[in-house]
Amino acid sequence: MSEISVTSTQPITSGQSAAAALVAPGRAGARVVAFFRRLPRSLLRLWMLVLLLAVWELVARTSPTVFFPPFTVVVGQFGTDWFGGPDAHLFLSEKFWSAVPISLSRLARGWGLAVVLGVVIGFALGRSPLVRMMYNPIIRFWMSVPNAALLPIAIQFFGVSEAVNIFLICFGSMWLIAINTADGVSGVDPDWLRTARSLRIPRGALWTRIIVPAASPHILAGLRISVGFALILMIVAELYATTSGLGHDVALYQQTFKYRQMWSAFILIALLGIVINLVFDVVEKRLLRWQRRAGLASL
C-alpha cells in the first residue's frame, strides 16, 4: 500500500511544478501592473510632456536654427535670466522682479474686476427671466468677438496705458464668469426654493444657504476658465500696449533677435499659468469638498 501511495503522489508533484512554471509569468505581469498602480498619477500624466520635450530637443539638434534653440539650451538660459539673484530676493534675478510683479498686478486687477462684474451680471441673469431674455443676445455677441480684436479700440480710448491692459483682461474674462454664474443660479432645484419659501426663510439666508452654495460649482468653473483667458489677454495687451511686463519682454526679445531669451520668457509664462491653476485647484477643492465627497460616495 505504501508503494502505491508513493507512485500515485509523484505525478501530482510534477504537475504542480509545471503549473507553477506557467503561473510565474502571470505573477510577474501582475507585479508590473501593481508597480505602475503605486506610482502617483501625476507622474503617469507627464509622459506626453516628456515626449514633447524630447521631440523638441531632437528636432532642434538635427535641424539647428537660431529661431528654434534646443530645449536644454533654453533651460540654461531660463536659469540665467530669471534666477541667480541674492537670497534677500529669494534667489530670483532683477529681471524677474522688474517684469513678473508688474504683469501679475495687471492680471490681478483686471481679473478681480471681471469677477465682481461677472458674478453680479450672472446673478441678475440667473434670477430674472426678463433680464436674461433682454441681455442674453448682447452677452452672446460679445463672447463671440475675439478679445484681441478689441485692443486697437481700447488704445484709441485709453491710450498706451495701464487702463488698456486692465480693460482687455476684464472685458475678455467677465463674460465667461457671467454665463457660468447665470447657468448655476438658474439651475438651482425649484423644489429647494419652494421649500425655503414655505419655511419662511429670510431672503438673505435663501441666498447664502441655498442659491450661492448650489451655484458655486458653476461659478468656480467659470472663474477657473476665465483666469486662463485673463493670462492670455494680459500677454496680448503687453505685447503692444505697454513698456514693461512679460509680454513686452517677449516682443523686445523677438525684435532684437534674442530668441533664447524669448523662449525662456515663454517657459516662465507657462510655469506661471501652471502655478495659478494649481493654486485655484487647491482653493476649489477646499470650497467644494462637500460636493466631491458626495460624488465619490455615489460611485
Side-chain angles (χ1 to χ4, degrees):
M1 292 292 292
S2 60
E3 293 180 359
I4 296 175
S5 61
V6 170
T7 56
S8 62
T9 57
Q10 185 66 26
I12 297 175
T13 303
S14 61
Q16 290 177 348
S17 61
L22 292 175
V23 172
R27 291 178 177 175
R31 286 195 294 269
V32 172
V33 173
F35 171 77
F36 281 104
R37 286 181 177 177
R38 286 194 298 268
L39 287 176
R41 290 187 176 182
S42 58
L43 295 179
L44 297 177
R45 294 171 182 171
L46 293 177
W47 70 271
M48 179 60 73
L49 177 61
V50 174
L51 179 61
L52 291 176
L53 295 179
V55 172
W56 178 356
E57 183 74 16
L58 180 62
V59 172
R61 293 291 182 183
T62 55
S63 302
T65 174
V66 68
F67 304 105
F68 190 61
F71 175 72
T72 52
V73 175
V74 174
V75 170
Q77 188 67 46
F78 177 83
T80 303
D81 289 342
W82 308 109
F83 294 94
D87 55 354
H89 293 168
L90 302 178
F91 301 101
L92 300 173
S93 66
E94 183 179 353
K95 181 185 295 187
F96 181 95
W97 290 111
S98 64
V100 176
I102 295 175
S103 296
L104 292 181
S105 174
R106 293 168 181 151
L107 177 66
R109 285 179 288 170
W111 185 72
L113 185 59
V115 170
V116 175
L117 295 176
V119 170
V120 171
I121 295 173
F123 276 123
L125 294 174
R127 292 298 297 162
S128 175
L130 178 62
V131 174
R132 184 164 58 249
M133 180 183 65
M134 292 175 58
Y135 295 102
N136 189 57
I138 299 176
I139 295 176
R140 297 294 181 180
F141 169 78
W142 284 116
M143 287 188 64
S144 63
V145 175
N147 297 308
L150 300 175
L151 183 59
I153 301 175
I155 294 176
Q156 290 293 328
F157 278 96
F158 302 104
V160 181
S161 62
E162 290 286 308
V164 173
N165 299 270
I166 297 174
F167 167 78
L168 194 65
I169 294 171
C170 174
F171 195 82
S173 305
M174 69 177 185
W175 305 119
L176 293 170
I177 302 173
I179 290 299
N180 280 271
T181 302
D183 289 341
V185 172
S186 62
V188 177
D189 194 340
D191 292 336
W192 298 354
L193 300 177
R194 284 193 290 267
T195 302
R197 293 190 185 99
S198 64
L199 295 175
R200 300 182 182 274
I201 294 178
R203 182 175 293 273
L206 177 68
W207 279 89
T208 57
R209 296 188 178 183
I210 297 179
I211 297 178
V212 173
S216 58
H218 289 80
I219 297 174
L220 290 176
L223 296 180
R224 186 168 189 170
I225 298 172
S226 67
V227 73
F229 276 85
L231 181 62
I232 296 172
L233 293 173
M234 179 197 76
I235 298 300
V236 171
E238 289 181 345
L239 286 173
Y240 303 101
T242 186
T243 57
S244 60
L246 287 173
H248 172 263
D249 289 347
V250 170
L252 181 63
Y253 294 146
Q254 187 270 334
Q255 294 168 5
T256 55
F257 304 101
K258 296 180 179 179
Y259 293 105
R260 292 183 180 181
Q261 289 85 342
M262 184 186 71
W263 284 99
S264 171
F266 284 159
I267 292 180
L268 180 61
I269 294 170
L271 291 177
L272 287 176
I274 293 173
V275 170
I276 293 173
N277 190 64
L278 290 176
V279 171
F280 204 95
D281 184 59
V282 172
V283 174
E284 185 180 11
K285 287 181 179 179
R286 177 67 178 174
L287 295 177
L288 297 182
R289 58 188 183 276
W290 54 270
Q291 184 202 30
R292 293 181 180 273
R293 289 175 181 175
L296 291 175
S298 63
L299 293 178

